[in-house]
Amino acid sequence: MQLVFDGHNDVLLRLWRAHASGIDPVRQFIDGTRDGHIDANRARAGGLAGGLCAIYIPSMHDFVLNEPDSRGHYVTPVDKQLERAPSLDIANQMAAIALRVERAGGWRLCRSTADIRAAFADDVFAAVLHMEGCEAIDADLAALEVFHQAGLRSLGPVWSRPNIFGHGVPFAFPMSPDTGPGLTPLGFELVKACDRLGILIDLAHITEKGFWDVAKASAAPLVASHSNAHALTPVARNLTDRQLDAIAERKGLVGLNYAVTMLRPDGRDFADTPLSDMVRHVDYLVNRMGMECVALGSDFDGCTVPAAIKDASGNQALVEALRQAGYGEDDLALICRENWLRVLGNAWHEQADR
């Protein structure tokens, strides 16, 4: 079994919603549940040894993709900007759940690659706090310092909506990621602060203009934690060849998103998507960027994944499909975890991690 370190999941959102419904989120993660994709038992069964766990502020309404037309085309309007105060409350609640799960022994919050490797060795889920969209961060970045102290080590300046730091892409097919403005002046300050603190910048939801703004503002590797190849599935959330080339030049990475809408040639939200569509994207990314720039970013608990995987317990189905496609064990180790550890170590100002 190849241990997997995953670049993106929304388990904290699911646990936060469970808590709001009167369910103990700590017990739900540790004891297991039929809901969603990730808990301790299913992660262990599928070799999911850790990942970036997102603090994500949901919309104030049920966010649903617009129904596609007869051709499968759709455009879902970008959500409105959220207010900061309630966003900060939710972010604090999710961070508190993460700390409670750690205190109960369900996972270990990791702040270095050494922490991640030690968690692997101890068979404890290696969780890294990530923030998907910075609605909870204030203009003077004081909250960024506090969240960093609490363990935040990765963030995406925006989700697919605007905030004071920048603009996100809509959920749309087919569409280019060049959908609007990029970073705001405050966004450039956020990027500089992250570089100083050692917080990874995630480009998964930002506009193409924002992508190039971050590339200019930051010296760190360029990373899209859960995105795929636009040339194969032209959804706005996927990356163009020019973006992939820039990521490769900076020795960053792209984490393969398991969302079927970002894998299928037709962009449909069908769980019967074959694993061959996932292999096709990995092949394209490897051929375009090189083996050391491709990783996994499942988006578990945040999307429809292929039925052959179903949840974290089925993660090795993808590994086996890649194995059958000709990827050797050394290649699989890079894709499954080592590329993430290299890039995180670089962003976190560590010495080269071997």
Side-chain angles (χ1 to χ4, degrees), residues 4 6 48 226-228 255-263 273 278 295-300 303-306 309 311-312 314-316 318-319:
V4 171
D6 179 40
L48 182 61
H226 56 306
S227 297
N228 298 331
L256 178 79
N257 194 321
Y258 295 12
V260 296
T261 56
M262 297 173 65
L263 291 167
T273 299
M278 305 182 82
L296 303 179
S298 69
D299 208 3
F300 277 146
C303 69
T304 302
V305 305
I309 292 177
D311 57 32
N315 220 27
Q316 293 299 309
L318 171 59
V319 177

Side-chain angles (χ1 to χ4, degrees), residues 241-312:
D241 285 351
R242 185 167 170 245
Q243 289 174 300
L244 297 179
D245 292 345
I247 290 170
E249 184 177 349
R250 295 274 283 270
K251 295 183 172 57
L253 64 75
V254 175
L256 178 79
N257 194 321
Y258 295 12
V260 296
T261 56
M262 297 173 65
L263 291 167
R264 298 173 60 93
D266 62 7
R268 297 280 192 167
D269 193 20
F270 295 157
D272 64 353
T273 299
L275 293 179
S276 59
D277 280 350
M278 305 182 82
V279 174
R280 189 169 61 102
H281 275 270
V282 171
D283 286 344
Y284 190 93
L285 296 172
V286 167
N287 290 335
R288 189 84 196 187
M289 299 190 298
M291 194 70 69
E292 294 190 346
C293 295
V294 182
L296 303 179
S298 69
D299 208 3
F300 277 146
D301 282 321
C303 69
T304 302
V305 305
I309 292 177
K310 185 181 177 183
D311 57 32

Side-chain angles (χ1 to χ4, degrees), residues 14 33-39 42 300-301 310-312:
R14 198 190 81 235
T33 175
R34 294 182 180 180
D35 297 334
H37 294 141
I38 299 178
D39 55 44
R42 286 181 290 176
F300 277 146
D301 282 321
K310 185 181 177 183
D311 57 32

Side-chain angles (χ1 to χ4, degrees), residues 14-89:
R14 198 190 81 235
L15 296 178
W16 175 79
R17 285 175 167 158
H19 180 66
S21 300
I23 299 169
D24 182 351
V26 175
R27 298 319 322 164
Q28 185 173 92
F29 184 81
I30 294 175
D31 297 339
T33 175
R34 294 182 180 180
D35 297 334
H37 294 141
I38 299 178
D39 55 44
N41 297 327
R42 286 181 290 176
R44 186 171 290 108
L48 182 61
L52 273 67
C53 300
I55 294 172
Y56 161 72
I57 313 305
S59 301
M60 296 300 107
H61 57 84
D62 289 333
F63 181 82
V64 180
L65 292 177
N66 277 0
E67 285 295 320
D69 63 20
S70 60
R71 301 164 298 170
H73 296 186
Y74 64 90
V75 178
T76 299
V78 173
D79 268 7
K80 295 180 180 179
Q81 185 167 328
L82 300 182
E83 295 180 14
R84 180 175 174 261
S87 298
L88 179 59
D89 287 344

Side-chain angles (χ1 to χ4, degrees), residues 5 16 44 55 83 121 134 175 190 290 316 346 348-349:
F5 183 87
W16 175 79
R44 186 171 290 108
I55 294 172
E83 295 180 14
C134 290
M175 183 176 282
L190 174 68
Q316 293 299 309
N346 188 309
W348 296 344
H349 308 319

Side-chain angles (χ1 to χ4, degrees), residues 158-182:
V158 297
W159 185 67
S160 289
R161 62 189 168 217
N163 61 29
I164 63 173
F165 302 108
H167 298 263
V169 296
F171 292 91
F173 175 90
M175 183 176 282
S176 161
D178 186 13
T179 60

